[in-house]
Amino acid sequence: MIRFLPLWICVVFVWTSDASAASLIRPEDRIIFVGDSITGQGGNGGDRGWVGLIGGALRETNAANRQTLISLGGSGQTVSGWVNVERKSRAAATFLDVKAFDLQQELGRPADVVVIMLGMNDVLSPQQEDSDAGYEKWIASYRTLIGALRERTTPRVIALATPTPCTEDPASPKNVVMDRMVERLTKLAAEENCALLPTRAASWEILAMGRRVLPAFHITTDEVHPNAFGHFAIAIGMLRGLGEPAAADLLSKRAAEEARKLKGATRFSHEITVISGKKIDGTVHLLIAAYGVGADASLDLPEGWKLVSKEQGSNEARFVVAGRPDRLINKLTLRDAGESQEIAFPAPWRLAAGNLRTKGWNRGVFEPENGRLPSDEVIRTGVDFKKLSAEAEFAPGVPVQWHTFVGGVNYGGNGAPGVVDFAAVHYFRLGEVGYGMRWVKSDKDRTVTVRVRRTGFAGVSHLELWVNGETVVIGDPAKAAKREVPVTLKTGWNLVSFKSNFWQWQWQFAVDLEPLAGEKLDDLRFSIVPPQL
C-alpha cells in the first residue's frame, strides 16, 4: 500500500482565476484576521508577511485600494481557545502576538470583513480527536466563535480560511485529520453564509511548484510555521477566496520567479515517496518522481537494489525501486541528458505506536516507574522479539502496530539520519507511548558518541534510550542532563532502541551516532530486522 503520496498525485489541480467573480472586499474596508501564531507572523512580517503581501498586492492591482488590515493572531490558540479569548476581551484589554492591536478595542468596533484561520493548534497540541464526535465538537466551537464575532463586529463578510499543512506530506496522519476538518469546515461555511478561502490548497500548490525545481523546497520553517513561500501561499489562497484573482496571480508569479532563483534550483528535480506495507522485512520500496526529465532519464542503483517499474509522462518520470537501505545515508543517482542529481535518504527506523497510553504522566512530568509496560523489556533487550509480532500486544487489548520510518524533507530534521518523527506514522494524542528500534553492525569494537536532541520547535516528551540493553539517556530530549554519551559498539550486531512517552506538541527528536575525532562510521550497517530473524 502507498503510505505517503507524492505531490504530483496529491496536487493535480491548476488554479484558473475567474476574472468575472465579484470581489468580496472594497477599497475602504477594515479587515480583521483572527488566528494563531501563523496569523501573528503574518501581521508581524512587514511587507513579506502574508498580511503585508495581501495589502501590497491589492494596492498594486488597484490604485484605489487602501484597506486597513488588522492581525489578531495568538500563539497556541485553538478554536475553543479563541472563544475564550474573545469572551475575555469584552471586559479587559487583551493583546496577542501583534502588540499593536488590543482585541478589546479592535473587536469593539465594526469591521467590514472578518477572516478566521484556525485549526493548526487543534491538531498540533493535539486536542482534536479523530472521530465524528471530535469533529462535531470542533465545529460547534467554531460556530460559537463565528456567532460571537458576527454579533460584536457586525461584518459584511465573514470568511473561513482552511488551515495550512501540518508536516509537508499531504498523506501524513496529521494532514489526513486536517482534511477531515476541512470537509466539516466547508459545510459550516455554507450553513453560516461564510466565504471559504482555499489557503490549504494554495499551500500544496506552491509546495508542488517548488519541488519541481528543488528537491528540498519548503513552505514552512518547522513543518508548521510559514517561510517566505508559505506566506506567499497563504496570501494567494486568501485573495482567491476573497475574489481578487489578479492580486493572487501577481503573487503566484512572484513566488515562481523567486523559487527559480533559489540556491540549488535546477532544470530537473525529484521527490521521494515511501511505499510501505504491513510486513516489515527490511526491504523498502520507494517511488521516485523525477520532474523536468525526458524519456531517457534513468537511475543508478546501489548493489542489491532493483528497478521495479518505470512510467514516463510528459516531462516527468516515475520510478519504483526496492532494496535494503543499510547505510546511514543511502544514495541513488538520477541521470538525464548528460546531467546527474544525487538522491539521498537515511537508514530507516522501526517504530511502534498506536493509541497506547500509560499512567506515567503526572501534571506534565513523567514518572518512569509508574509508566512501565510489559513490552519495555523486549524493546530494551531485543530478547523474545518474535513475541512482538503484528498480533502481539503492548498491553492487554492494545495491539502492536509497527511502521517503517524513512526520514525525509517533509518531516523533522529534513532527512537527517538520527531523526524520529512520529507524525509520519500515527495521529497521536496526549500521553501516548512509542517505541523505536534499529540494529547496527560494526566490524570492530569501537566507541561512538550518542547524541540526543529535540528537533522540533516545541514538544514535551520523555525518552528512555538503550544500546544493547544498557540505559544511555533517560529524560526529556531537550533537557536530559547527559545528552552526549560515549557508548561501546561491539563487533557484530548492536541494538539501539528506545521508549518515548509523548505529552504535547511535536513528537520528534534525534538519536545521532557520531564518530570520535579522526574516525568515520562509513563501515556501519543498519537494519530494522533483528539479525536472528
Side-chain angles (χ1 to χ4, degrees):
M1 107 180 147
I2 295 181
R3 177 69 185 174
F4 305 119
L5 299 179
L7 292 176
W8 51 264
I9 290 179
C10 292
V11 186
V12 296
F13 64 88
V14 176
W15 190 281
T16 56
S17 298
D18 182 0
S20 65
S23 176
L24 298 179
I25 57 179
R26 299 171 185 170
E28 303 290 342
D29 275 350
R30 183 170 180 270
I31 305 175
I32 293 178
F33 297 96
V34 167
D36 51 32
S37 60
I38 295 173
T39 297
Q41 290 183 3
N44 283 325
D47 292 342
R48 295 288 289 182
W50 60 262
V51 175
L53 289 172
I54 289 173
L58 287 172
R59 291 189 296 273
E60 283 190 61
T61 53
N62 184 350
N65 280 329
R66 52 177 68 92
Q67 293 86 1
T68 299
L69 307 181
I70 299 164
S71 175
L72 305 181
S75 295
Q77 291 297 328
T78 61
V79 172
S80 61
W82 237 101
V83 170
N84 294 329
V85 165
E86 186 281 322
R87 187 180 298 120
K88 172 188 173 184
S89 71
R90 293 185 179 226
T94 304
F95 295 89
L96 296 176
D97 291 1
V98 184
K99 302 307 180 184
F101 300 126
D102 173 8
L103 273 66
Q104 185 181 34
Q105 293 185 17
E106 301 303 336
L107 296 178
R109 299 167 49 199
D112 302 293
V113 178
V114 172
V115 176
I116 307 172
M117 185 170 68
L118 290 164
M120 175 63 77
N121 287 306
D122 295 86
V123 168
L124 185 64
S125 180
Q127 295 184 16
Q128 181 61 43
E129 182 179 316
D130 183 18
S131 67
D132 288 340
Y135 296 121
E136 289 172 7
K137 182 179 179 181
W138 185 71
I139 286 297
S141 293
Y142 215 126
R143 196 187 302 274
T144 298
L145 180 61
I146 292 171
L149 293 172
R150 178 174 278 149
E151 173 196 355
R152 193 166 170 189
T153 62
T154 62
R156 183 182 71 253
V157 175
I158 292 185
L160 312 183
T162 50
T164 52
C166 183
T167 83
E168 293 183 354
D169 176 5
S172 74
K174 294 280 190 182
N175 281 318
V176 169
V177 168
M178 279 186 146
D179 288 342
R180 292 168 183 161
M181 293 164 68
V182 170
E183 291 176 3
R184 274 79 173 179
L185 191 64
T186 302
K187 183 179 178 182
L188 176 66
E191 293 171 350
E192 292 291 334
N193 194 28
C194 298
L196 190 71
L197 311 186
T199 38
R200 185 172 181 80
S203 297
W204 293 130
E205 177 189 333
I206 294 299
L207 182 59
M209 175 275 295
R211 290 283 169 87
R212 281 160 172 74
V213 298
L214 186 66
F217 180 89
H218 293 285
I219 57 171
T220 68
T221 60
D222 50 19
E223 301 90 63
V224 173
H225 296 99
N227 63 10
F229 291 98
H231 283 280
F232 270 124
I234 295 170
I236 290 165
M238 290 208 174
L239 287 166
R240 284 174 176 165
L242 291 170
E244 291 287 341
D249 289 348
L250 176 72
L251 294 182
S252 184
K253 292 175 182 177
R254 195 163 291 163
E257 291 170 358
E258 292 194 12
R260 288 192 290 269
K261 295 177 182 177
L262 287 172
K263 182 180 179 180
T266 60
R267 71 164 184 85
F268 69 102
S269 183
H270 70 267
E271 191 163 16
I272 302 175
T273 299
V274 179
I275 306 174
S276 61
K278 293 183 178 180
K279 182 180 180 181
I280 299 179
D281 60 4
T283 298
V284 172
H285 287 71
L286 302 176
L287 175 58
I288 299 174
Y291 306 120
V293 299
D296 293 331
S298 62
L299 286 176
D300 292 349
L301 302 177
E303 182 179 355
W305 283 70
K306 66 177 181 178
L307 177 65
V308 178
S309 66
K310 176 187 177 183
E311 296 181 13
Q312 185 69 41
S314 176
N315 205 37
E316 65 181 52
R318 294 170 289 176
F319 303 87
V320 175
V321 299
R324 293 193 172 214
D326 62 351
R327 309 295 178 100
L328 190 60
I329 297 292
N330 302 271
K331 298 177 181 179
L332 314 176
T333 302
L334 173 63
R335 299 188 184 278
D336 181 68
E339 297 181 60
S340 64
Q341 190 171 102
E342 185 178 85
I343 301 176
F345 53 95
W349 284 96
R350 184 185 189 117
L351 300 183
N355 302 309
L356 173 64
R357 293 178 174 84
T358 73
K359 298 179 180 179
W361 288 100
N362 182 11
R363 298 181 181 180
V365 176
F366 189 76
E367 300 170 342
E369 291 305 317
N370 293 331
R372 296 294 176 211
L373 294 170
S375 46
D376 289 358
E377 284 303 292
V378 177
I379 302 300
R380 182 178 71 83
T381 65
V383 176
D384 291 331
F385 182 79
K386 286 184 179 181
K387 293 182 179 179
L388 290 184
S389 65
E391 293 75 31
E393 295 180 330
F394 280 125
V398 183
V400 174
Q401 299 177 33
W402 288 109
H403 308 270
T404 300
F405 169 69
V406 179
V409 297
N410 294 324
Y411 294 99
N414 208 33
V419 171
V420 172
D421 192 340
F422 278 94
V425 300
H426 175 55
Y427 183 70
F428 45 84
R429 302 287 307 285
L430 274 66
E432 291 201 19
V433 176
Y435 291 117
M437 307 181 82
R438 202 185 236 177
W439 285 265
V440 183
K441 186 177 184 181
S442 176
D443 62 3
K444 62 181 180 180
D445 290 355
R446 68 192 338 142
T447 299
V448 299
T449 297
V450 174
R451 185 163 67 99
V452 172
R453 55 195 171 93
R454 191 183 73 188
T455 55
F457 73 92
V460 179
S461 65
H462 181 276
L463 180 70
E464 294 183 59
L465 174 66
W466 306 292
V467 175
N468 293 325
E470 298 296 324
T471 300
V472 175
V473 170
I474 182 167
D476 186 327
K479 302 176 182 177
K482 290 185 177 181
R483 287 181 285 166
E484 296 185 18
V485 183
V487 170
T488 298
L489 297 182
K490 64 185 180 182
T491 302
W493 287 101
N494 301 263
L495 172 61
V496 178
S497 58
F498 63 78
K499 175 187 179 183
S500 179
N501 302 275
F502 170 73
W503 184 244
Q504 197 173 34
W505 305 112
Q506 292 175 300
W507 196 4
Q508 57 179 250
F509 50 87
V511 177
D512 298 314
L513 295 183
E514 299 177 345
L516 299 182
E519 297 187 5
K520 295 183 178 180
L521 302 181
D522 296 347
D523 63 304
L524 294 182
R525 295 294 178 264
F526 297 80
S527 176
I528 56 173
V529 178
Q532 67 270 28
L533 295 185

